[in-house]
Amino acid sequence: MKRALSLFSILAILISSLWAMKPGDPAPDFSEKDIDGKLRSLTEFKGKFVILEWHNQGCPFVRKHYNSGNMQKLQKEITSKGVVWLSVISSAPGKQGYVTAEQEKEYLKKSRAFPTSVLLDPDGSMGRAYGAKTTPQMVLISPQGKILYSGAIDDKPTTDAEDIPGAKNYVLDAVGEVLAGKAVSVPASQPYGCSVKYE
C-alpha cells in the first residue's frame, strides 16, 4: 500500500512538472469567458505585457493580499503603466473558490480591486496549461507571448499581512525591470498558497 502511494506521489510530481511553464517558454494561448461574458484570449493582448493572477476569494493567502489592500495597490500601479492584469479563477463547480460571474463582480466592487479583467476557468483548462498550482500564483508574459516570470507574488509564504511591508515583491520587481528594458533578475520562484481546486 505504501509503495503504491509512493508511486502515485512520484507520478503526481512528474505530471506537475510537465505542466509547469518555465521562463522563456511560449505562453499558451487561451480562450476563456470573463465575468462580462466576453471571450478573451492571449492573442487579444499581443504587443502588451500581461500578468496572470490565479485567484480564490476564500484562500487565506489570497485574503492576506486583498484584505490588506496590497493586491489592489499592485494592480493599480502596474495597470497604470499599460500592463494588462488578468485574474483567473480555475476552481471547479462545487469546489472551494468557485464563483459565478455576479459573485465575482460583487467581490471586485467590495474589495475595490483593479484587474483589467477576471477570467472564469471552471474546467481548469487554462490553469493546467500554465501549471497553476496555488492561489495566488503569478505569471508575467512579454508582448511577444513569452513567459518572463512564473511563481509567487513575493518571498513571504505566510498568511500574515504584517509580512507584506518587508517582502520582496517578485511581480513588481519583474515589471519594473522589463519596462526599463532589463532582463528579469528572478524569473521563477516557488509559488505558495492554497492549492488550485481543479475538477
Side-chain angles (χ1 to χ4, degrees), residues 140-182:
L140 173 62
I141 302 169
S142 76
Q144 296 76 35
K146 300 279 187 180
I147 292 178
L148 299 175
Y149 173 78
S150 181
I153 185 172
D154 61 26
D155 65 348
K156 299 289 185 184
T158 73
T159 58
D160 190 350
E162 291 182 3
D163 289 336
I164 293 172
K168 176 180 176 62
N169 192 299
Y170 295 127
V171 178
L172 188 60
D173 287 354
V175 170
E177 287 167 340
V178 297
L179 291 180
K182 300 176 183 177

Side-chain angles (χ1 to χ4, degrees), residues 1-190:
M1 181 68 177
K2 285 183 179 179
R3 180 177 171 80
L5 285 173
S6 177
L7 289 173
F8 180 79
S9 297
I10 291 169
L11 182 62
I13 290 167
L14 288 172
I15 291 171
S16 176
S17 66
L18 287 173
W19 281 358
M21 300 301 300
K22 300 181 295 297
D25 286 348
D29 199 3
F30 51 81
S31 182
E32 303 290 345
K33 283 187 178 179
D34 67 13
I35 55 174
D36 292 315
K38 182 179 179 181
L39 207 58
R40 314 304 291 259
S41 67
L42 183 60
T43 53
E44 173 187 350
F45 303 107
K46 188 176 180 180
K48 295 185 177 182
F49 288 103
V50 175
I51 284 180
L52 304 179
E53 169 223 345
W54 265 267
H55 180 77
N56 176 341
Q57 292 181 18
C59 172
F61 293 92
V62 172
R63 287 179 177 173
K64 164 188 174 179
H65 292 285
Y66 274 89
N67 290 353
S68 65
N70 183 56
M71 193 71 82
Q72 296 93 317
K73 180 183 176 184
L74 195 63
Q75 290 167 343
K76 193 171 186 179
E77 181 175 348
I78 289 176
T79 57
S80 72
K81 297 174 181 178
V83 178
V84 173
W85 185 298
L86 303 175
S87 298
V88 185
I89 301 173
S90 294
S91 294
K95 297 287 184 76
Q96 195 270 327
Y98 174 79
V99 292
T100 64
E102 290 306 313
Q103 287 170 329
E104 183 62 15
K105 285 180 184 179
E106 185 61 31
Y107 174 83
L108 292 178
K109 184 178 177 182
K110 184 178 178 182
S111 63
R112 297 184 179 182
F114 299 94
T116 305
S117 190
V118 180
L119 308 185
L120 301 176
D121 175 40
D123 67 358
S125 57
M126 182 177 173
R128 289 189 174 97
Y130 279 85
K133 301 176 185 66
T134 66
T135 53
Q137 185 164 333
M138 314 296 292
V139 175
L140 173 62
I141 302 169
S142 76
Q144 296 76 35
K146 300 279 187 180
I147 292 178
L148 299 175
Y149 173 78
S150 181
I153 185 172
D154 61 26
D155 65 348
K156 299 289 185 184
T158 73
T159 58
D160 190 350
E162 291 182 3
D163 289 336
I164 293 172
K168 176 180 176 62
N169 192 299
Y170 295 127
V171 178
L172 188 60
D173 287 354
V175 170
E177 287 167 340
V178 297
L179 291 180
K182 300 176 183 177
V184 177
S185 56
V186 182
S189 67
Q190 181 65 43

